[in-house]
């Protein structure tokens, strides 16, 4: 069985990501992927390779998004602005490429198995916990439980992204994200700062 670490062909990864985003993991066919990638179908076997390939796409999409987050996390930007900024990276075409889009769809579609690690979600939650703690310290968020607040934000924003990917409505993502933040902010931000936050 070929391991994910051995799946390094960029064309194959991107072809798999494009096909899985369009039709979903269950309906993705290896011959369609290999034809799109212009590689020999003889290089792959079914079914183990298909799952390994999907998980390699997840890994690649996770890594790409984490790299995009680094400047936001490393900057002197107030933590609350960084919380919002990370979510809006998903609207940047340079970040929200086929690998990232496929990652958000595939994490809900491929079979779970012991020891599997989607990487992005635990990392995103860790970032949001730390930023939430900082935002509370900076008096931009109410002094609630930072773990619960971070989980609420990640649950909401990942849910928005996963649904957009799964329903092929990525074009609606900007409106969905704005709506999500409009609904979240009144419960998270001190009322005296709410107007400023919603206009930033």
């Amino acid at each position: 069985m070929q391991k994910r670490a051995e799946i390094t062909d960029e064309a194959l990864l991107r072809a798999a990501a494009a096909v899985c985003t369009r039709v979903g993991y269950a309906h993705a066919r290896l011959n369609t992927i290999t034809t799109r990638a212009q590689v020999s179908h003889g290089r792959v076997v079914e079914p183990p390779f298909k799952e390994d390939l999907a998980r390699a796409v997840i890994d690649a999409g996770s890594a790409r998004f984490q790299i995009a987050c680094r400047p936001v996390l490393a900057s002197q930007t107030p933590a609350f602005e960084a919380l919002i900024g990370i979510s809006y990276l998903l609207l940047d075409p340079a970040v929200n490429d086929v690998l990232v889009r496929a990652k958000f769809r595939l994490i809900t579609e491929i079979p779970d198995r012991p020891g599997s690690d989607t990487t992005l979600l635990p990392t995103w939650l860790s970032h949001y916990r730390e930023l939430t703690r900082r935002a509370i310290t900076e008096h931009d968020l109410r002094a609630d439980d930072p773990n619960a607040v971070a989980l609420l934000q990640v649950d909401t924003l990942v849910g928005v992204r996963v649904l957009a990917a799964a329903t092929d409505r990525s074009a609606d993502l900007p409106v969905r994200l704005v709506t999500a933040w409009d609904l979240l902010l009144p419960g998270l931000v001190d009322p005296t700062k709410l107007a400023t936050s919603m206009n930033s």
Side-chain angles (χ1 to χ4, degrees):
M1 179 173 171
Q2 187 163 356
K3 302 300 183 183
R4 276 184 289 164
E6 299 170 359
I7 303 171
T8 58
D9 190 310
E10 182 76 7
L12 193 58
L13 282 178
R14 289 188 170 275
V19 172
C20 289
T21 298
R22 188 176 73 251
V23 302
Y25 175 77
H27 297 290
R29 297 289 174 258
L30 283 177
N31 63 338
T32 304
I33 294 169
T34 54
T35 298
R36 185 183 182 102
Q38 297 182 331
V39 300
S40 169
H41 186 67
R43 287 178 49 187
V44 300
V45 293
E46 197 161 9
F49 185 86
K50 179 180 171 182
E51 181 179 339
D52 285 341
L53 183 57
R55 293 187 186 280
V57 169
I58 289 175
D59 288 346
S62 297
R64 186 170 183 80
F65 190 77
Q66 288 176 47
I67 289 170
C69 288
R70 286 175 189 167
V72 177
L73 295 170
S75 72
Q76 298 303 311
T77 302
F80 181 67
E81 291 181 27
L83 285 170
I84 297 176
I86 288 176
S87 70
Y88 277 90
L89 283 174
L90 293 173
L91 303 182
D92 184 346
V95 176
N96 189 31
D97 72 349
V98 67
L99 292 170
V100 174
R101 292 195 301 273
K103 183 265 185 317
F104 276 100
R105 178 161 188 172
L106 286 170
I107 58 175
T108 67
E109 294 186 350
I110 65 171
D112 193 14
R113 64 186 182 193
S116 64
D117 180 12
T118 59
T119 305
L120 177 58
L121 300 185
T123 302
W124 203 354
L125 184 56
S126 176
H127 290 331
Y128 264 56
R129 284 193 186 111
E130 177 58 29
L131 289 171
T132 298
R133 291 188 186 99
R134 279 181 45 206
I136 291 172
T137 301
E138 294 167 0
H139 305 292
D140 287 325
L141 288 182
R142 293 177 177 173
D144 295 317
D145 178 357
N147 293 323
V149 172
L151 184 60
L152 171 64
Q153 292 174 82
V154 173
D155 281 350
T156 302
L157 300 172
V158 171
V160 166
R161 188 62 189 89
V162 167
L163 283 174
T167 59
D168 196 24
R169 299 298 297 270
S170 292
D172 295 344
L173 192 54
V175 173
R176 291 184 181 199
L177 280 175
V178 169
T179 300
W181 279 116
D182 282 347
L183 294 173
L184 282 174
L185 288 178
L188 301 177
V189 182
D190 187 284
T192 61
K193 297 191 175 185
L194 185 58
T196 302
S197 299
M198 296 186 74
N199 291 326
S200 60

